[in-house]
Amino acid sequence: MDIDVRGPRFGAAVTSVVLAVVLVTGSAWLLAWQTLAFALGAAGGVGRSPYGWVFRKAVRPRIGPPTEFEAPQPPRFAQAVGLVFAGIGLVGYTLGPDWLGLAATGAALAAAFLNAVFGYCLGCEMYLLVRRVAVRAE
């Protein structure tokens, strides 16, 4: 079943704010929260993430029904990519080196920002590229 394209973009906007605060404060706890949000989105789809829940319960009723849909697999893959970067960032912030936490969190922020502001999902594009390569390899 296809999903409302505005949901992942809302999640990316919230994620951008969270990751920006992590970079400013160095809060490993806040990055741990974002890592959990990515894990839930990767495991159950973006609608099962905390930001997906907020979108579904509080935002979508106020902005009306969707007019554009997308397949759920690319955003779910993007959540898994975010999980990897947030996990690496968490390792950097908690165990070191600090530059690893900054770099991985910065990369995740860049990807989330692109999706939130421009509607360009790097993880989704990666998913489509992997699918094309897999089809050609068969």
Side-chain angles (χ1 to χ4, degrees):
M1 184 170 150
D2 288 347
I3 59 173
D4 183 345
V5 298
R6 301 170 299 178
R9 202 159 175 191
F10 171 81
V14 176
T15 298
S16 295
V17 171
V18 169
L19 293 175
V21 172
V22 169
L23 286 175
V24 169
T25 65
S27 173
W29 288 108
L30 189 55
L31 186 55
W33 161 257
Q34 183 57 53
T35 304
L36 175 63
F38 279 137
L40 293 171
V46 292
R48 301 259 189 238
S49 75
Y51 310 144
W53 183 85
V54 170
F55 176 79
R56 191 171 57 256
K57 296 295 183 183
V59 176
R60 187 171 171 191
R62 287 169 176 73
I63 61 174
T67 58
E68 198 175 339
F69 297 91
E70 68 180 322
Q73 295 86 356
R76 188 172 183 175
F77 182 84
Q79 292 289 296
V81 172
L83 173 61
V84 169
F85 277 91
I88 292 170
L90 195 54
V91 168
Y93 276 112
T94 57
L95 303 175
D98 288 341
W99 64 262
L100 181 63
L102 290 167
T105 304
L109 172 58
F113 183 81
L114 281 174
N115 193 3
V117 175
F118 301 108
Y120 186 80
C121 176
L122 283 174
C124 300
E125 294 300 322
M126 287 174 58
Y127 173 84
L128 297 172
L129 181 63
V130 168
R131 294 279 304 197
R132 281 189 217 117
V133 169
V135 167
R136 286 184 187 161
E138 291 179 353

